[in-house]
């Protein structure tokens, strides 16, 4: 199976053709339960997200702030397995036909087996993987298997990345580049700031891949701000928080579907001169 990297590429290109940023949502698998997590992923896609990242819960999530750490802890205590992550990808893709990626730290893939993981992700209809802690110079084995199965390899760049390092990272990646809007961990913030715009500008100078911005976007106004300079707007903690704050699962699904709609309207930037 060739995988769905082409679907991801086409989805991002279609958003660009409509003169808007793509909305990319993040939710961890197994949260609040495996079935509840699948329903939540479907809800954000139905609500207006173009792409979804399914998180593989990890016991030491170095990039993630307290909101996603809380969700990961709930999922891990519920016994979530890699098989449940694959099932989440399979059912979300089958139900919506939209690109679904997995966001994971390297250690679980290394333990599971790179060939096994990439083969199962492709078979489930996954579009690729975001690997925030895999150094490019140590990624050859992963990229070999990802390419074989038609999966995107999305690397994360940060404001601290120097231009030469950006070029090295973007040359090795595929699908899109994940630009971390600021130094630190995931979570909602008051402002996404100028650092992100500068990082996008510097990253674009090294690649033709779409550059999508995450870390800190939590509402439609911030999504609209980021949409003025990024190809995609990535939102995670705000979705997770809606589920954590909901009194029951049905309310949580309604809340994330509503937020997806608000954010989707936020990324609809008007054409110049329109």
């Amino acid at each position: 199976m060739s995988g769905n990297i082409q679907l991801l590429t086409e989805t991002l290109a279609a958003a660009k053709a409509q003169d808007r940023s793509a909305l990319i949502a993040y939710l961890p698998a197994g949260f609040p339960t495996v079935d509840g997590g699948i329903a939540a992923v479907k809800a954000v896609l139905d609500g207006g997200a173009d792409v979804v990242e399914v998180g593989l819960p990890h016991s030491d999530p170095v990039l993630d702030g307290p909101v996603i750490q809380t969700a990961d802890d709930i999922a891990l205590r519920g016994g979530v397995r890699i098989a449940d992550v694959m099932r989440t990808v399979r059912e979300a893709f089958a139900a919506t036909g939209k690109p679904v990626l997995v966001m994971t730290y390297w250690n679980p893939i290394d333990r599971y087996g790179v060939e096994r993981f990439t083969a199962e992700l492709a078979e489930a209809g996954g579009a690729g993987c975001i690997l925030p802690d895999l150094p490019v110079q140590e990624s050859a084995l992963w990229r070999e298997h990802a390419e074989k199965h038609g999966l995107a390899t999305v690397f994360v760049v940060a404001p601290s990345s120097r231009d030469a390092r950006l070029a090295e990272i973007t040359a090795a990646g595929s699908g899109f580049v994940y630009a971390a809007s600021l130094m630190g961990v995931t979570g909602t913030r008051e402002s996404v700031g100028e650092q992100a715009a500068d990082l996008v500008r510097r990253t674009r100078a090294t690649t033709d891949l779409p550059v999508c911005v995450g870390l800190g976007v939590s509402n439609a106004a911030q999504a609209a701000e980021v949409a003025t300079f990024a190809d995609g707007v990535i939102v995670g903690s705000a979705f997770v928080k809606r589920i954590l704050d909901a009194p029951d699962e049905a309310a949580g699904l309604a809340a994330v579907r509503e937020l997806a709609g608000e954010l989707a309207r936020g990324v609809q930037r008007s054409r110049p001169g329109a």
Side-chain angles (χ1 to χ4, degrees), residues 142-223:
W142 164 266
R143 286 187 286 132
E144 176 192 333
H145 288 289
E147 205 170 307
K148 182 169 87 171
H149 292 291
L151 297 170
T153 297
V154 179
F155 289 115
V156 177
V157 297
S160 59
S161 305
R162 297 183 182 276
D163 292 352
R165 177 76 175 148
L166 288 177
E168 184 185 3
I169 293 169
T170 59
S174 56
F176 64 91
V177 182
Y178 187 126
S181 66
L182 67 177
M183 302 305 292
V185 297
T186 58
T188 60
R189 286 176 173 81
E190 293 300 310
S191 171
V192 179
E194 290 176 21
Q195 265 191 326
D198 180 63
L199 177 58
V200 170
R201 179 187 57 75
R202 292 195 298 118
T203 305
R204 280 216 181 105
T206 71
T207 184
D208 291 330
L209 288 173
V211 183
C212 304
V213 170
L215 271 65
V217 179
S218 60
N219 58 47
Q222 289 176 337

Side-chain angles (χ1 to χ4, degrees), residues 40-240:
V41 170
K42 290 179 185 175
V44 298
L45 288 168
D46 289 341
D50 298 290
V51 179
V52 74
E53 304 169 5
V54 173
L56 195 163
H58 189 48
S59 55
D60 184 26
V62 291
L63 186 73
D64 293 311
V67 171
I68 290 174
Q69 283 187 19
T70 299
D72 277 5
D73 186 53
I74 290 167
L76 290 167
R77 282 191 282 117
V80 69
R81 316 295 296 176
I82 287 179
D84 300 314
V85 177
M86 297 300 178
R87 184 183 148 215
T88 302
V89 172
R90 179 180 292 106
E91 294 195 20
F93 175 64
T96 66
K98 292 184 175 182
V100 183
L101 299 105
V102 168
M103 186 166 189
T104 178
Y105 296 98
W106 179 245
N107 185 257
I109 295 177
D110 195 36
R111 287 207 312 257
Y112 196 71
V114 177
E115 169 58 25
R116 181 183 176 197
F117 189 93
T118 51
E120 289 182 8
L121 182 56
E123 188 275 327
C129 241
I130 300 160
L131 300 158
D133 67 338
L134 177 64
V136 168
Q137 61 271 24
E138 296 173 22
S139 67
L141 178 67
W142 164 266
R143 286 187 286 132
E144 176 192 333
H145 288 289
E147 205 170 307
K148 182 169 87 171
H149 292 291
L151 297 170
T153 297
V154 179
F155 289 115
V156 177
V157 297
S160 59
S161 305
R162 297 183 182 276
D163 292 352
R165 177 76 175 148
L166 288 177
E168 184 185 3
I169 293 169
T170 59
S174 56
F176 64 91
V177 182
Y178 187 126
S181 66
L182 67 177
M183 302 305 292
V185 297
T186 58
T188 60
R189 286 176 173 81
E190 293 300 310
S191 171
V192 179
E194 290 176 21
Q195 265 191 326
D198 180 63
L199 177 58
V200 170
R201 179 187 57 75
R202 292 195 298 118
T203 305
R204 280 216 181 105
T206 71
T207 184
D208 291 330
L209 288 173
V211 183
C212 304
V213 170
L215 271 65
V217 179
S218 60
N219 58 47
Q222 289 176 337
E225 177 194 350
V226 174
T228 62
F229 59 80
D231 299 299
V233 179
I234 303 168
V235 181
S237 296
F239 283 115
V240 173

Side-chain angles (χ1 to χ4, degrees), residues 23 25 27 31 39-48 218 235-265:
L23 174 60
L27 281 167
F31 167 73
V41 170
K42 290 179 185 175
V44 298
L45 288 168
D46 289 341
S218 60
V235 181
S237 296
F239 283 115
V240 173
K241 193 168 187 309
R242 291 283 178 110
I243 294 173
L244 286 171
D245 290 348
D248 55 52
E249 192 172 304
L253 293 178
V256 294
R257 186 180 287 108
E258 179 185 38
L259 178 59
E262 292 168 8
L263 292 165
R265 289 188 290 277

